[in-house]
Amino acid sequence: LLSIHDIMVEGPGATRNGRKAQNALGMQVVRADYEKIRSLSVTLVGRCLIEAFTVGKEVFLIFSAPNEDSRNVTSTEEDPYRMKEIAVRLHFGMNGCLYVGSGGRSPQIPKWKQNDDAALKINFQPKSEASFSLLSQRKSFDSGMNKTLDKWFPLISEGGSAGLMTGGAGLKRKRDSVSQTGDDEMRRNSSLVTIEARGTTISIHPSAETARSKFARLTSRDSCSSSFDARSVFDVIRDTGRVDASLIVSDAVLNQELFPGVGNIIKIEGLHKARVNPRRHVASLSDGELRRVVLHCRLYSMAWLNCGRAPAKLVYNQTVCGTCKISSVSMQKLGGGPVNTQHQSNHAYMSRVTFWCPTCQPSSIGENASTHVGVSRELAESSLPTQPDHRPVISCPAHGPNRLMLRRVRKLESPNASRLFQTCKGCQFFAWADSHFPSCACQKKTILRISKTERTGGRWFLSCAHGKTGSKKDGCEMFEWAKPSHLQPLGSLLTPLL
């Protein structure tokens, strides 16, 4: 079973993971476990972690070339990395994370992650005092790159913009202070440090210099970087929009070459705060609109980074807009574009389910918002669970109705695949949530799904549980739009990404 919160790790999560890895800077690898590339496990032993940095949603760990003492032990003539620095790339996918254990203790893995095998596990021990001079190497990339953004975003008061937008110098000073304190701590601590990555894709970057070049090239555009430069992001998106007139803003902000670190949630909430419709072409945006997009994506990223969890979501996975409170949220699988330009090729990852408020984010300047309000209210009344219902409410015998969660069966091989059920946060209570749904001609309970198309995106419908497999029709193809009587018993527990 997968939670609806199993969403792609975005820039703030990757940045926090990168900072965790910095606990082992200057330390030597004594053991490495990576089943997919056993030779990597062997060749890492004896090397020092000399750099750990984040680029957008990627974390790079740079290991030194082996010294003379470890080269004979860790390397063979067939080892392609025996004389080189090694750059290990970590991408955290849907819900990967990195855990660190210090003082000789193993990392504390949450219960819900303990069934996942570790993608990579590395044990470190302190090196000689000289190795700690390597800690300053990473900082050299950041010098002189902070920019003041007030002239680009005058809508923010002078007292608050520089700190918020640059991540501020204050954040960097705090990070450096913590790093220096950590240096002193490691000098005194002779225990192991363990780094363990779970749910993570591990790969070897072509070279350490390539990874460093990527950092140097993109750090000023990284939504979570202390060296963030809004003008750089503004210029590259504007220039790309001029070259490719078909580029929509939804694709532009998700492009990791243009705005690294921005993921789907940051994109959706940033565009909503900027009051820009995600389907608009970049070429159609005024300078003020594009500045607002860059601003709010940055602010949302930094708020997420600083508190460790995503701020309140006003439209993402919502049925009613959290800003205007009257419009139902539109949703559509949007982006990626046709593979017909150099800017859109290989960007299938940008085709994501996107949410927006048609009232707050009209599709064109001057569009009559009242039309959207009428349509939205009609849609809400006909297909969204916003009205009270007199059916008996499912309740946990031990904890009542307030601790219930609505979930969907995710095991495709199960005879109950995709059915909805309710369970309790505090005990093992279980009950099917679809008893009031009709059955199809196959004598199975119909499955509640939501449309993601341009014309009907956001409308719920009931369909045959079997559906189709390839060109073969395995089910009866039953289909009907869901009625309020189907949705109301589920109440506010029903969300679009369920």
Side-chain angles (χ1 to χ4, degrees):
L1 300 177
L2 295 177
S3 164
I4 61 171
H5 300 293
D6 288 340
I7 52 181
M8 184 74 73
V9 175
E10 304 194 14
T15 300
R16 291 174 72 90
N17 286 338
R19 291 181 182 177
K20 293 177 190 176
Q22 291 174 357
N23 283 280
L25 282 173
M27 301 184 79
Q28 188 175 48
V29 178
V30 293
R31 178 174 178 177
D33 296 315
Y34 182 47
E35 292 296 324
K36 291 188 177 180
I37 307 178
R38 290 184 177 274
S39 61
L40 175 63
S41 300
V42 174
T43 199
L44 282 180
V45 175
R47 298 173 184 258
C48 287
L49 180 65
I50 58 175
E51 296 178 59
F53 53 86
T54 305
V55 181
K57 303 177 187 179
E58 305 169 303
V59 170
F60 291 95
L61 306 179
I62 310 297
F63 294 89
S64 66
N67 56 38
E68 291 294 336
D69 294 335
S70 63
R71 191 174 300 161
N72 294 331
V73 176
T74 63
S75 304
T76 66
E77 290 302 319
E78 292 75 24
D79 183 359
Y81 310 108
R82 64 185 181 275
M83 299 295 291
K84 302 176 181 178
E85 293 179 335
I86 295 178
V88 178
R89 171 186 176 271
L90 288 73
H91 190 282
F92 300 96
M94 293 301 291
N95 60 348
C97 197
L98 186 141
Y99 305 93
V100 176
S102 59
R105 295 184 297 271
S106 297
Q108 294 184 347
I109 311 298
K111 288 184 178 179
W112 64 280
K113 272 300 214 178
Q114 290 177 1
N115 291 331
D116 295 346
D117 293 331
L120 178 68
K121 185 174 182 180
I122 307 176
N123 294 331
F124 296 87
Q125 69 178 9
K127 185 71 171 165
S128 63
E129 286 288 317
S131 69
F132 289 95
S133 64
L134 295 165
L135 289 166
S136 61
Q137 192 167 335
R138 172 77 266 123
K139 298 172 190 173
S140 64
F141 281 98
D142 293 334
S143 60
M145 297 189 71
N146 281 308
K147 306 290 182 181
T148 300
L149 304 174
D150 299 295
K151 65 178 181 179
W152 289 97
F153 299 102
L155 62 159
I156 284 191
S157 64
E158 183 176 355
S161 67
L164 282 172
M165 293 299 297
T166 61
L171 175 61
K172 186 177 187 301
R173 284 195 298 269
K174 180 180 177 183
R175 236 171 89 191
D176 292 347
S177 174
V178 170
S179 178
Q180 291 164 5
T181 303
D183 299 352
D184 296 334
E185 182 73 15
M186 285 190 287
R187 288 191 180 97
R188 296 190 296 269
N189 191 345
S190 60
S191 300
L192 291 173
V193 169
T194 300
I195 289 179
E196 188 169 320
R198 298 202 174 204
T200 304
T201 300
I202 312 293
S203 59
I204 308 301
H205 213 60
S207 74
E209 285 307 314
T210 304
R212 292 184 182 111
S213 296
K214 186 171 187 177
F215 176 88
R217 178 169 54 86
L218 295 178
T219 188
S220 65
R221 301 203 289 265
D222 191 323
S223 67
C224 293
S225 172
S226 60
S227 305
F228 182 74
D229 179 2
R231 179 170 184 168
S232 176
V233 179
F234 176 92
D235 286 346
V236 73
I237 293 178
R238 176 61 82 202
D239 291 345
T240 306
R242 290 192 182 106
V243 174
D244 183 2
S246 67
L247 180 68
I248 60 174
V249 67
S250 177
D251 280 356
V253 296
L254 268 189
N255 190 322
Q256 297 303 291
E257 286 290 317
L258 306 183
F259 208 166
V262 173
N264 201 41
I265 296 177
I266 297 172
K267 174 199 79 175
I268 289 168
E269 294 298 325
L271 288 173
H272 178 70
K273 283 284 191 178
R275 304 182 75 85
V276 170
N277 191 290
R279 300 172 297 176
R280 287 185 59 186
H281 292 96
V282 170
S284 75
L285 299 179
S286 68
D287 285 353
E289 288 174 319
L290 184 53
R291 287 171 186 153
R292 291 202 305 270
V293 170
V294 176
L295 163 68
H296 287 293
C297 286
R298 166 65 172 180
L299 291 178
Y300 197 90
S301 298
M302 291 305 299
W304 190 342
L305 175 65
N306 290 333
C307 72
R309 62 178 60 191
K313 303 177 185 70
L314 298 174
V315 288
Y316 178 85
N317 200 26
Q318 305 297 313
T319 55
V320 177
C321 174
T323 299
C324 67
K325 312 291 186 184
I326 58 174
S327 179
S328 67
V329 174
S330 297
M331 66 175 291
Q332 180 185 342
K333 193 166 187 180
L334 187 68
V339 185
N340 58 6
T341 73
Q342 60 176 331
H343 303 289
Q344 291 179 311
S345 60
N346 301 318
H347 289 159
Y349 69 88
M350 295 190 298
S351 180
R352 304 292 301 278
V353 176
T354 302
F355 300 84
W356 70 94
C357 172
T359 301
C360 300
Q361 299 165 261
S363 58
S364 61
I365 299 174
E367 186 175 35
N368 187 355
S370 62
T371 303
H372 290 298
V373 174
V375 172
S376 300
R377 284 176 174 166
E378 179 182 352
L379 181 59
E381 292 172 0
S382 64
S383 62
L384 295 173
T386 57
Q387 303 297 323
D389 187 75
H390 300 294
R391 295 172 183 266
V393 177
I394 297 177
S395 179
C396 171
H399 301 97
N402 294 331
R403 303 200 69 188
L404 289 180
M405 301 180 293
L406 189 64
R407 294 288 183 261
R408 188 184 294 275
V409 178
R410 296 292 184 181
K411 294 181 179 179
L412 298 179
E413 66 277 10
S414 168
N416 295 309
S418 299
R419 288 185 65 183
L420 298 178
F421 65 91
Q422 289 185 311
T423 186
C424 179
K425 296 178 182 178
C427 64
Q428 299 297 315
F429 172 78
F430 173 93
W432 290 112
D434 58 2
S435 59
H436 59 292
F437 291 177
S439 297
C440 66
C442 303
Q443 303 305 310
K444 301 271 290 184
K445 281 291 183 183
T446 50
I447 302 301
L448 182 66
R449 297 183 173 95
I450 193 166
S451 171
K452 300 172 186 175
T453 65
E454 180 177 2
R455 189 169 63 88
T456 60
R459 287 195 67 181
W460 295 93
F461 63 91
L462 295 166
S463 62
C464 174
H466 290 298
K468 298 180 180 180
T469 302
S471 59
K472 180 182 178 182
K473 296 179 181 179
D474 295 328
C476 63
E477 297 188 291
M478 179 270 188
F479 174 93
E480 68 175 68
W481 292 112
K483 301 178 177 64
S485 60
H486 298 136
L487 304 175
Q488 288 167 358
L490 304 176
S492 60
L493 296 178
L494 183 63
T495 55
L497 295 182
L498 181 67

